[in-house]
Structures are given as C-alpha cells and as structure tokens.
C-alpha cells in the first residue's frame, strides 16, 4: 500500500441536489432537509461520496435560490440551520462530504444590504454594489438570459441611480473591488467551513471577478488575484476544502483559474460536455477528441469536473451555429420548444436520445471515464425526463421520482401544492419511472449506475492518472488509456450504432510529444512539484507494449458480456453503442 495524498476530489463521485425538489419530509409540497436526511442511505448506497447542495439559503426564489437574502441561514421552507447541521453530520457519518453553492456574484435585491444601499447614499452598503448615475451605453450588451432579461443596468427609484446586474434584474452584482465586500465573502465562507463543509461550488466565477462598472477603482489590477486570496482563506481555515467553480470560459483563460495549483482546485469542463454532445449526436469521436484536447494541461492538484446535464440549460455556446443545429437535428429536437437563451437546450438528457437505454448508458459511461471527476445531478441515475410545458429551465428541474405513489413519492401534499409538478404522463412518468421500480429490476439504469460507480472507485486511474488517446481504425470508437502508479486501464466506447471489431494501434506505441495523439501527462514542472509517488511519472510508465503481461486485458465493465480479450492486437469487439472498461497488465483485485 502506498500512502495517498488527500486530494479526495480526484476520486470523488459528486451528486448535485436541489433540496427543494428532492424529498418533502413535512408534506407541504416543498422538498426539505428532513426529507433529504431520510434519503441519505439511498445516496450513499449509490456510491456517492460528495454531495453538492444547490442554494438552500433564504430567498424570494425568483432564480431557483440563486437570489439570496441571507448568507447565514436556511430558507424556512427547507428547514432550519439545525436541520442543516444534522444533515451534514449524517452525511459525514456515511462517508459523504458536502460542498455547497456559494453565490456571491450578486445578492437578491431583497437582501438587507441592497435595501440599505438604495435607501441611503451614505450607507456603507452603497459601495457593496455597482452603481451608475447614467445608464451606460453598453447596458444591453452581455445579457445572460436573452429573451428574459432586458438589460444589465436597471434604475432604482429610491437609490436614484442604475445598479449593475449581470443576471436577472432582481440579482444585483456585488462590488468585489470593495475590501469590505471581500471581508463579507470570507466571513460567509468561514461560517459554513466552521460547520464542517468540504468546500464550495462557486457560482458564476468569471462574473464574480469581472470589473464591470468598477474599472476605475484604483487598487484593482489583476482580478484573478481575488481567487487566490479566496483560496488562501479557504485552505487556512480547512486544508482539505476545495473550490469547484462554474466558469464556462475560453480555453486561454483556464490557467488564470488554476494557476500553479494555488487558485481553484476544480472547474466544470463545459468544453468536454459540449463536444461530447456533438460527438454523441454525430456518432463519431472526432469532436470529443477535440474537446479533450482543447484545454491546456493543468497542475496535478487540479481537476476537471465532468457532467452530462446540470440544472441549467445544456449550453452549446462553444460550438458553431452549424454544430448547434446539427445537434438539434440529429437528436430530433424541435428548436422552438427546446432552444433557450440563444445557446442551449432546456431538456434532460434521455429525451435527447429518445430514451434509448444503450445511448444513455454510453453517455454516462463516457462521463465516468473522462479524465476527471464525475458529477451527477439527482434524478439522472434513474434517467428522468422533462416537462417542456414548464417555463425556461424549470423543464428539467421537476421533482425526484421515488415511487409509483401519488406525486411520485416526492410529497404527500395535494399535487397543485407542489413546488414544481412531478412528471406523470408518458414514458418518463413516475408511475413506471421511479427509484423503487428500478431497484427491483437488476437491469435498470439505477442498478447500472451503482455498478459503474463501484467499478469507477476501483479504478483510481480515471481520476488520478495521466491519459492518452489510443489510435483506432474506427471513427466511431474512442479508446483512452489511463495510467496511475502501477495501474493501467483502457476505456473503449463505440459512439456508433453498428457493432464492430476495432483495431487499436498498440505497437511502436510511445506517443510522441506534440503529435496529433498528444498525451495529457502532467507537465515536467507539475511532476517535479508533486510529492513523490503521488502520480505515475513519465519515467515510471512503461509505454512499450511488448512484455508478457501485455496480453492480459481484463474486462471490468461493459454493455454486455464479451469474449475475453486474449489478443488485443487482433481487434476488440464492441456492440453498437457498446463500451468496455478494461484493466491491462495485472489482475484487477
Ligand atoms: C449559474 C447558475 O447555475 C444558474 O442557475 C443561475 O441562474 C446563475 N448562475 C445566476 O446565479
Ligand atoms: Ca417540505
């Protein structure tokens, strides 16, 4: 046994929960901490070891809780601070860490700070926000919710000035340039860290540090240093806490978020997500390879978070208009129904592939094996659908479907009292798509997820290792090799509908640096900086595929039982939309 660094997030499986739609414990139609606590065994049983809670703070709820009026409390509809602590304790007891949403780019305009700022020009809170006497000429630029947001500057009568809001007009941007605001950030972080959380999902990170409206403030040079300061504060308060940031930014900006590993630990990989969607739609791997190669190499302590769907629209903003159209066409979607904010699809994933179980599993198998850490949104594990009659992103935010009972077992309240309607009709309706039904069926998606997560945990190579592409003779097949310490695993995915026998380029095999098959091994700097033995270094890795162990390829997980791979060089079978996770070179357990 070798001692591992406590980079727990490198082998985490993160599960994202909106408390409000997860489980209603007191029967008022709104999910709450009582209900969530009751379902912790379910979550732990799935193999989850980190829960990400979406905003649960007091809120007028005009943006699903991303509009906060008190950073130090729990919304009374969801429970009390006592319930939160009990939840945290019980999650920890089951070996699960908890990270929480930190929404500090803006507050609700109902927050006492904003009210005080409007009321009194001389209040210290005035400078907590971003103001302008005149409406700036570019007020209609950079709108995040086109069609649903009119401007980024809105006049407030009482204040007698315009306030800046990157998002909806009820979300006033805080002024990060004000040291007192940054003090508030630290105090908020310190509060929740003290209660025992393991970190934050930082909302809207690029906008948090943008200097819009405060460009002239003298002391602001490099806004990214605010991230470093946050990280310092975080790490001094709790050494193993992390920041996982939402930052859908151009690739050249990525290093500014990770730096040498002294800023943020994790970013969501929007780039892989979008190119994965294009690849799945096209049934070809080239776009996914493009997505995987797009980001620069990142420091060893940093990590990508991969997802299929989150609680927002499926943003395709990094793709061309033709590619966006292609996805809509190939997924047979009606643009008028599903397209939102000029950039994305407001559906859950299964309806995009017409509920085809093979393609659903293929997508999640890919997510689990992307180099990084997977993030599941609650409900994905049972393949929930959506309700396009609901407004905007609510379509994919319907409550969890636990059973065939009324309201899908989510709540005992009358159906018209629910926070959002449960899906009742059709193939995604709760009468047959629910947790209980899937538990009884060994072949269900839920049971598949459990098996896949179990295997993922047995393969630290996916989360910790270096990876490289293996060239194949089939444009539908992605072959990735991952290496960590003495372990090697290979994941094969057939994105196309037809079965094949794929040939991998295994000999003469060391992939030259800078070639089309660029490996993502850590940089020499990162290796030097990393503590001994924390990762396979280049010199330790035997890239030559000639020794006697070579032919030991052991199937770990697949879409079906396959003939064992005795001679990998003679080709490997894959079903249409099939996949195989294989350990190479030694026994698995
Ligand atoms: C990103 C969140 O994911 C989204 O749901 C929200 O509307 C915006 N940030 C504003 O907080
Ligand atoms: Ca409730």
């Amino acid at each position: 046994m070798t001692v591992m660094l406590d980079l727990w997030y490198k082998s985490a499986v993160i599960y994202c929960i909106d408390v409000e739609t997860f489980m209603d414990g007191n029967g008022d139609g709104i999910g709450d901490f009582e209900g969530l606590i009751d379902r912790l065994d379910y979550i732990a049983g799935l193999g989850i070891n980190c829960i990400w809670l979406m905003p649960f703070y007091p809120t007028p709820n005009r943006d699903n809780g991303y509009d906060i009026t008190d950073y130090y409390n729990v919304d009374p509809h969801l429970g009390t601070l006592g319930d939160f602590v009990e939840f945290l304790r019980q999650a920890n007891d089951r070996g699960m860490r908890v990270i929480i949403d930190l929404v500090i780019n803006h507050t609700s305009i109902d927050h006492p700070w904003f009210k005080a700022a409007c009321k009194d020009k001389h209040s210290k809170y005035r400078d907590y926000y971003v103001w302008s006497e005149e409406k700036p000429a570019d007020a209609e630029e950079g709108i995040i919710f086109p069609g649903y947001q009119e401007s980024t500057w809105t006049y407030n009568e009482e204040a007698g000035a315009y306030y800046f809001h990157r998002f909806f007009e009820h979300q006033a941007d805080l002024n990060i340039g004000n040291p007192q605001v940054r003090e508030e950030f630290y105090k908020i972080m310190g509060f929740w860290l003290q209660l025992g959380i393991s970190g934050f999902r930082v909302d809207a990170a690029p906008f948090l540090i943008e200097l819009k409206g405060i460009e002239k403030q003298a002391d602001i040079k490099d806004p990214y240093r605010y991230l470093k300061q946050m990280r310092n504060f975080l790490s001094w308060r709790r050494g193993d806490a992390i920041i996982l940031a939402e930052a859908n930014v151009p690739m050249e900006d990525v290093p500014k978020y990770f730096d040498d590993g002294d800023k943020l630990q994790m970013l969501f990989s929007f780039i892989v997500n979008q190119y994965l969607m294009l690849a799945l739609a096209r049934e070809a791997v080239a776009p996914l390879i493009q997505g995987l190669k797009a980001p620069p190499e990142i420091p060893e302590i940093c990590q990508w978070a991969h997802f299929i769907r989150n609680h927002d629209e499926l943003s395709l903003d990094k793709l061309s208009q033709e590619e966006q159209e292609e996805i809509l066409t190939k997924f047979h979607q009606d643009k008028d129904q599903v397209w939102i904010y000029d950039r994305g699809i407001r559906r859950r994933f299964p309806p995009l592939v017409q509920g085809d179980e093979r393609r659903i599993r293929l997508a999640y198998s890919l997510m689990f094996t992307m180099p990084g850490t997977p993030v599941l949104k609650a409900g994905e594990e049972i393949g929930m659908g959506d309700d396009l009659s609901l407004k905007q992103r609510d379509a994919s935010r319907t409550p969890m479907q636990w059973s065939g009972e009324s309201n899908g077992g989510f709540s005992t309240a009358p159906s018209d009292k629910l926070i959002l309607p449960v899906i009742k009709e059709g193939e995604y309706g709760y009468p047959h798509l629910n947790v209980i039904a899937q538990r009884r069926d060994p072949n269900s998606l839920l049971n598949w997820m459990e098996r896949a997560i179990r295997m993922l945990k047995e393969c630290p190579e996916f989360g910790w290792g270096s990876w490289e592409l293996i060239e194949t003779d089939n444009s539908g097949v992605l072959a990735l090799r991952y290496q960590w310490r003495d372990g090697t695993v290979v994941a094969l995915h057939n994105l196309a509908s037809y079965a094949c026998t794929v040939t991998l380029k295994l000999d003469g095999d060391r992939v030259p640096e800078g070639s089309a098959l660029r490996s993502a091994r850590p940089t020499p700097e990162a290796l030097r900086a990393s503590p001994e033995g924390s990762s396979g270094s280049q010199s330790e890795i035997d890239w030559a595929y000639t020794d006697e162990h070579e032919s030991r390829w052991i199937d770990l997980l697949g879409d079906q039982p396959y003939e064992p791979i005795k001679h990998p060089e003679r080709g490997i079978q894959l079903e249409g939309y099939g996949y195989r996770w294989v350990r190479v070179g030694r026994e698995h357990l």
Side-chain angles (χ1 to χ4, degrees):
M1 198 207 63
T2 337
V3 176
M4 284 177 59
L5 273 185
D6 187 24
L7 305 183
W8 59 270
Y9 48 93
K10 291 216 145 200
S11 44
V13 183
I14 301 176
Y15 189 71
C16 167
I17 298 175
D18 188 352
V19 180
E20 188 176 69
T21 51
F22 193 62
M23 182 63 207
D24 176 14
N26 67 356
D28 67 352
I30 305 173
D32 45 43
F33 278 99
E34 191 187 327
L36 169 56
I37 291 170
D38 192 54
R39 295 298 138 100
L40 282 173
D41 287 318
Y42 164 79
I43 303 166
L46 191 55
I48 301 304
N49 47 21
C50 178
I51 292 174
W52 152 28
L53 283 192
M54 285 168 59
F56 51 80
Y57 314 93
T59 173
N61 224 1
R62 298 187 195 109
D63 182 19
N64 204 32
Y66 284 94
D67 46 332
I68 295 171
T69 54
D70 180 0
Y71 288 103
Y72 299 104
N73 222 323
V74 169
D75 188 279
H77 298 100
L78 312 188
T80 64
L81 205 44
D83 295 327
F84 174 85
V85 170
E86 185 59 20
F87 150 75
L88 188 55
R89 158 88 185 137
Q90 294 213 28
N92 290 167
D93 250 9
R94 290 163 176 82
M96 294 185 285
R97 292 171 179 271
V98 174
I99 63 173
I100 63 174
D101 240 290
L102 183 64
V103 189
I104 50 178
N105 172 67
H106 48 264
T107 70
S108 163
I109 54 169
D110 294 352
H111 194 290
W113 296 343
F114 190 73
K115 288 189 181 165
C118 292
K119 208 167 173 185
D120 178 3
K121 220 176 169 158
H122 305 291
S123 145
K124 75 161 187 170
Y125 296 111
R126 186 73 167 203
D127 254 0
Y128 272 37
Y129 296 90
V130 182
W131 300 98
S132 174
E133 299 289 317
E134 306 294 323
K135 189 171 192 178
D138 62 355
E140 268 73 71
E141 279 167 33
I143 285 174
I144 298 281
F145 303 117
Y148 302 87
Q149 176 191 354
E150 276 167 19
S151 181
T152 59
W153 290 88
T154 293
Y155 190 70
N156 181 282
E157 289 286 345
E158 202 182 8
Y162 290 84
Y163 63 93
F164 176 65
H165 53 92
R166 176 54 73 196
F167 296 92
F168 292 115
E169 72 171 66
H170 59 77
Q171 292 164 315
D173 272 47
L174 285 163
N175 173 9
I176 196 174
N178 179 346
Q180 285 181 307
V181 169
R182 299 199 299 274
E183 285 287 313
E184 297 280 5
F185 293 169
Y186 298 147
K187 217 198 292 180
I188 296 163
M189 292 170 72
F191 177 81
W192 296 101
L193 288 167
Q194 199 72 24
L195 290 184
I197 60 148
S198 293
F200 301 94
R201 178 261 188 196
V202 170
D203 185 60
F207 303 112
L208 170 64
I209 56 169
E210 81 176 330
L211 301 181
K212 190 84 196 170
I214 52 170
E215 299 89 343
K216 294 196 189 83
Q217 261 171 251
D219 71 325
I220 304 167
K221 280 165 237 103
D222 169 22
Y224 291 94
R225 82 193 151 100
Y226 296 140
L227 299 178
K228 188 163 177 174
Q229 290 166 5
M230 274 174 73
R231 163 64 189 282
N232 278 345
F233 179 86
L234 177 89
S235 295
W236 279 107
R237 283 290 164 97
R238 183 166 169 157
D240 62 351
I242 60 152
I243 291 177
L244 160 56
E246 183 209 20
N248 183 6
V249 294
M251 289 304 106
E252 60 266 27
D253 287 350
V254 165
K256 300 178 194 155
Y257 289 83
F258 288 131
D259 214 335
D260 291 336
D262 57 357
K263 284 191 182 137
L264 311 184
Q265 290 93 341
M266 292 184 82
L267 288 180
F268 287 103
S269 182
F270 285 91
I271 194 81
V272 166
N273 177 258
Q274 300 191 22
Y275 278 102
L276 170 60
M277 288 302 148
L278 184 59
L280 289 168
R282 218 179 251 176
E283 307 204 355
V285 293
L288 180 52
I289 292 175
Q290 197 180 338
L292 279 165
K293 284 190 196 163
E297 292 188 9
I298 63 176
E300 213 210 339
I301 77 144
C302 296
Q303 182 82 332
W304 290 108
H306 294 293
F307 59 99
I308 295 294
R309 285 291 285 112
N310 60 23
H311 59 283
D312 290 329
E313 75 285 359
L314 170 56
S315 177
L316 300 174
D317 68 337
K318 299 279 177 288
L319 304 180
S320 69
Q321 223 176 327
E322 293 73 47
E323 290 166 335
Q324 294 173 349
E325 293 291 340
E326 185 182 348
I327 289 179
L328 286 167
T329 311
K330 297 239 163 83
F331 282 156
H332 308 290
Q333 297 301 310
D334 173 358
K335 191 171 182 180
D336 292 341
Q337 285 279 311
V338 307
W339 195 247
I340 192 164
Y341 310 142
D342 298 341
R343 63 170 176 265
I345 297 176
R346 62 187 193 105
R347 304 207 74 168
R348 286 196 172 106
F349 180 72
L352 295 181
V353 289
Q354 290 68 54
D356 185 337
E357 278 273 336
R358 297 170 305 166
R359 297 184 81 182
I360 296 169
R361 291 175 197 206
L362 172 74
Y364 287 97
S365 173
L366 279 161
M367 175 186 77
F368 286 133
T369 56
M370 286 293 107
T373 294
V375 182
L376 270 177
K377 171 81 180 50
E380 286 193 292
E381 73 273 29
I382 53 170
M384 278 172 56
D386 46 44
D387 180 349
L388 291 172
S389 73
L390 300 178
K391 67 172 175 27
Q392 299 179 50
R393 293 168 292 176
D394 284 354
S396 64
R397 294 173 174 175
T398 59
M400 185 71 180
Q401 295 170 198
W402 294 102
S403 71
E405 309 276 299
S406 70
N407 299 328
F410 160 68
S411 173
T412 54
S415 299
D416 60 352
K417 292 277 179 297
L418 301 187
I419 180 87
L420 278 172
V422 183
I423 297 172
K424 191 171 180 187
E425 311 294 336
E427 59 177 310
Y428 300 101
Y430 71 76
H432 53 271
L433 196 159
N434 63 62
V435 169
I436 299 281
Q438 293 204 16
R439 278 206 175 156
R440 292 192 184 119
D441 173 5
N443 296 316
S444 67
L445 185 61
L446 177 61
N447 279 311
W448 179 88
M449 287 277 177
E450 275 187 36
R451 290 194 296 275
I453 292 172
R454 175 189 294 262
M455 189 52 76
L456 178 64
K457 287 174 160 177
E458 289 177 15
C459 300
E461 291 86 352
F462 291 128
W464 282 83
S466 55
W467 61 274
E468 65 180 346
L469 287 161
I470 306 174
E471 206 177 329
T472 81
D473 63 347
N474 188 314
S475 62
V477 176
L478 180 74
L480 290 183
R481 180 196 289 129
Y482 316 71
Q483 185 120 17
W484 189 62
R485 294 188 170 163
D486 66 344
T488 301
V489 288
V490 168
L492 301 162
H493 289 88
N494 182 8
L495 277 68
S497 60
Y498 48 86
C500 67
T501 300
V502 64
T503 308
L504 307 182
K505 190 168 176 292
L506 292 171
D507 43 0
D509 204 32
R510 183 161 174 144
V511 181
E513 227 39 75
S515 79
L517 297 177
R518 177 171 73 86
S519 104
R521 291 192 294 273
T523 59
E525 289 77 11
L527 286 167
R528 244 176 279 127
S530 74
E532 199 187 344
S534 65
S535 145
S537 75
Q538 293 188 38
S539 58
E540 285 168 49
I541 299 171
D542 181 7
W543 296 99
Y545 278 72
T546 48
D547 70 68
E548 58 187 83
H549 301 301
E550 193 37 47
S551 55
R552 207 192 277 169
W553 285 51
I554 298 161
D555 275 297
L556 303 177
L557 187 85
D559 58 300
Q560 61 167 52
Y562 285 99
E563 284 294 307
I565 303 168
K566 295 216 180 79
H567 301 282
E569 68 286 356
R570 292 184 199 162
I572 299 175
Q573 283 179 294
L574 278 171
E575 239 340 295
Y577 304 128
Y579 50 86
R580 297 172 81 161
W581 304 3
V582 182
R583 181 166 290 288
V584 177
R586 65 166 164 84
E587 294 299 336
H588 178 63
L589 287 174

